[in-house]
């Protein structure tokens, strides 16, 4: 007998397999699913604090004259055109500061690399898209280190400053380091999750053609393993993303650095998790039905000499 109920967990496993592959590979190539990042840093106003030297005395003490003079000149240029419109000045700074410093407007973390680029059409337009300039080489167990990249870009940039001049604190790098250790674990768990959902694609069709308690149980175990790995991954990433964004924004906002959570990545990883949960539940129901049927056959066996219709009704219960 062909049992088509196994088609449902099969469809779940195929979709979850594709989605969890995308979790690993999103953003691994320049421009490929860039918006599915784990975290993104908006650096379009990084260094903005040097505009207000009174607020941070340490930053103003070490601030380079070339950057200050550029900003002063920029403000004078704009104010001469549009008198006293502060928003216009801020927008213009946001769209020019990064280029002037020699850095990019955003840096984003993916499972296997970091990408960077500019906002399109510009940094202050609503719902701006991501124009990727460059991605780091794809690496298993990638460690996010935007500090080194930005510092390098600042040093080769024309203004001759480094990341500590801007006021980049240890708390910011600390928030990032916390995530890195957990990223190793999530990478391994994604690999197991992908492997298990891939195996589920191979074993689920067996259940369509073969009625076997053992095969049903194997399918349940495989689907549940995939669910478990993906669920732990999703929880780790949800929690750490939240914590990292908070840590970075706490100190970063003062220097014009903004971190955002990757909502689309979360949607991807939680969808894959939910699908494997559905597949597992289907196998639990299948297994329970099979187990009940086997138990009924077992209780019928000792009644030699009498047909089961004599003592049992159609549902398998003893007749009164
Ligand atoms: C200000 O404008 C002048 C001419 O329009 C230009 O040469 C100069 O580079 C501008 N300064 C800045 C800082 O953009
Ligand atoms: C993307 O960035 C490149 C340079 O980095 C630029 O030439 C191109 O015009 C940008 N595209 C958009 C749509 O802004
Ligand atoms: C980047 O940050 C600046 C400063 O807060 C903000 O004005 C701008 O809208 C942000 N851009 C994007 C695309 O989020
Ligand atoms: C940014 O883009 C928006 C929408 O395209 C445009 O209205 C705005 O003038 C641009 N701002 C700057 C400073 O170029
Ligand atoms: C990335 O890979 C290319 C080619 O494999 C190599 O030449 C380059 O040095 C690598 N870059 C980094 C930052 O490791
Ligand atoms: C940045 O430059 C200052 C001097 O300009 C130096 O004291 C400091 O060690 C540098 N920091 C880094 C991270 O290179």
């Amino acid at each position: 007998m062909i049992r088509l109920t196994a088609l449902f967990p099969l469809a779940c496993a195929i979709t979850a397999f594709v989605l969890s592959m995308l979790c690993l590979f999103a953003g691994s190539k320049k421009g490929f699913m860039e918006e599915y990042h784990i975290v993104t840093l908006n650096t379009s106003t990084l260094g903005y604090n040097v505009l207000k030297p009174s607020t941070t005395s340490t930053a103003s003490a070490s601030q380079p004259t070339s950057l200050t003079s550029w900003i002063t000149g920029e403000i004078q240029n704009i104010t001469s055109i549009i008198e006293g419109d502060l928003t216009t000045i801020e927008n213009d700074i946001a769209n020019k500061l990064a280029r002037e410093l020699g850095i990019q407007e955003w840096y984003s973390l993916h499972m296997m690399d970091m990408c960077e680029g500019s906002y399109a059409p510009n940094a202050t337009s609503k719902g701006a898209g991501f124009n990727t300039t460059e991605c780091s080489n794809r690496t298993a167990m990638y460690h996010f280190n935007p500090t080194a990249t930005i510092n390098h870009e600042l040093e080769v940039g024309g203004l001759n400053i480094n990341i500590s001049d801007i006021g980049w604190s240890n708390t910011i790098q600390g928030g990032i380091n916390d995530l890195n250790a957990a990223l190793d674990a999530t990478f391994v768990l994604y690999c197991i999750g992908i492997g298990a959902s891939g195996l589920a694609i191979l074993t689920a069709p067996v259940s369509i053609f073969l009625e076997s308690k053992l095969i049903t149980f194997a399918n349940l175990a495989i689907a549940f393993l995939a669910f478990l790995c993906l669920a732990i991954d999703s929880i780790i990433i949800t929690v750490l993303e939240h914590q990292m964004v908070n840590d970075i924004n706490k100190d970063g906002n003062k220097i014009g650095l903004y971190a955002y959570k990757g909502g689309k990545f979360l949607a991807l990883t939680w969808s894959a998790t939910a699908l494997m949960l559905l597949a597992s539940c289907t196998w639990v129901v299948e297994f329970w039905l099979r187990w009940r049927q086997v138990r009924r056959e077992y209780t019928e066996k000792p009644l030699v000499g009498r047909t089961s219709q004599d003592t049992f009704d159609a549902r398998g219960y003893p007749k009164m």
Side-chain angles (χ1 to χ4, degrees):
M1 192 179 82
I2 292 176
R3 290 165 36 262
L4 294 176
T5 42
L7 284 180
F8 177 71
L10 176 61
C12 288
I14 292 172
T15 320
F17 177 76
V18 172
L19 292 183
S20 43
M21 282 288 252
L22 290 179
C23 285
L24 265 195
F25 285 94
S28 66
K29 266 195 312 206
K30 193 175 151 182
F32 174 63
M33 295 177 74
E34 176 47 54
E35 61 271 41
Y36 290 83
H37 43 237
I38 299 171
V39 161
T40 183
L41 305 180
N42 175 352
T43 52
S44 64
T45 51
L46 183 61
Y48 180 79
N49 59 315
V50 294
L51 275 174
K52 297 173 278 178
S54 54
T55 52
T56 42
S57 49
T58 44
S60 64
S62 63
Q63 93 186 223
T65 48
S66 48
L67 179 59
T68 331
S69 64
W70 173 76
I71 287 169
T72 315
E74 188 69 20
I75 288 174
Q76 277 163 359
N77 265 13
I78 299 161
T79 39
S80 62
I81 305 163
I82 307 147
E83 308 256 10
D85 189 348
L86 197 66
T87 330
T88 316
I89 297 170
E90 280 177 353
N91 281 355
D92 204 77
I93 295 286
N95 285 312
K96 285 183 178 169
L97 189 54
R99 200 184 322 139
E100 193 66 26
L101 291 172
I103 62 172
Q104 299 291 337
E105 288 179 343
W106 55 263
Y107 295 81
S108 67
L109 167 68
H110 298 284
M111 275 311 294
M112 293 202 279
D113 66 346
M114 175 180 88
C115 289
E116 55 190 84
S118 56
Y119 287 110
N122 60 45
T124 46
S125 60
K126 249 189 139 191
F130 298 93
N131 184 4
T132 313
T133 308
E134 195 183 357
C135 289
S136 63
N137 285 349
R138 188 196 302 160
T139 321
M141 301 198 198
Y142 176 72
H143 280 187
F144 192 35
N145 194 355
T147 311
T149 308
I150 294 173
N151 193 41
H152 177 72
E153 287 171 353
L154 282 172
E155 279 172 346
V156 299
L159 294 176
N160 210 9
I161 54 171
N162 69 23
I163 205 150
S164 31
D165 297 326
I166 277 174
W168 190 283
S169 72
N170 289 336
T171 326
I172 297 173
Q173 185 55 41
I176 294 166
N177 287 346
D178 287 346
L179 186 89
N180 277 339
L183 276 180
D184 289 353
T186 55
F187 180 83
V188 173
L189 286 172
Y190 271 123
C191 290
I192 301 173
I194 289 169
S197 49
L199 188 60
I201 296 173
L202 300 177
T203 54
V206 178
S207 248
I208 299 178
F209 302 107
L210 269 180
E211 286 207 36
S212 156
K213 218 176 95 168
L214 187 69
I215 288 170
T216 309
F217 183 76
N219 268 315
L220 167 59
I222 291 165
F224 190 73
L225 175 65
F227 160 71
L228 208 60
C229 292
L230 293 175
I232 294 172
D233 264 343
S234 304
I235 291 168
I236 291 178
I237 289 191
T238 306
V239 170
L240 284 179
E241 197 184 76
H242 180 78
Q243 197 183 328
M244 181 186 178
V245 165
N246 277 356
D247 282 353
I248 293 176
N249 282 337
K250 200 161 54 185
D251 273 23
N253 289 359
K254 285 180 248 164
I255 60 167
L257 173 69
Y258 293 84
Y260 311 124
K261 290 183 237 178
K264 288 187 176 177
F265 184 89
L266 288 186
L268 209 58
T269 182
W270 280 110
S271 304
T273 308
L275 284 166
M276 286 324 289
L277 178 64
L278 277 180
S280 305
C281 289
T282 315
W283 289 123
V284 168
V285 172
E286 276 276 308
F287 187 74
W288 179 68
L289 291 175
R290 202 133 309 275
W291 175 77
R292 215 180 54 161
Q293 188 186 336
V294 167
R295 191 182 54 168
R296 192 190 305 162
E297 279 163 7
Y298 175 78
T299 51
E300 282 171 6
K301 261 180 196 157
L303 304 159
V304 191
R306 278 189 292 185
T307 57
S308 55
Q309 281 93 336
D310 292 335
T311 31
F312 295 95
D313 65 20
R315 281 154 59 232
Y317 293 110
K319 278 183 179 166
M320 288 305 189

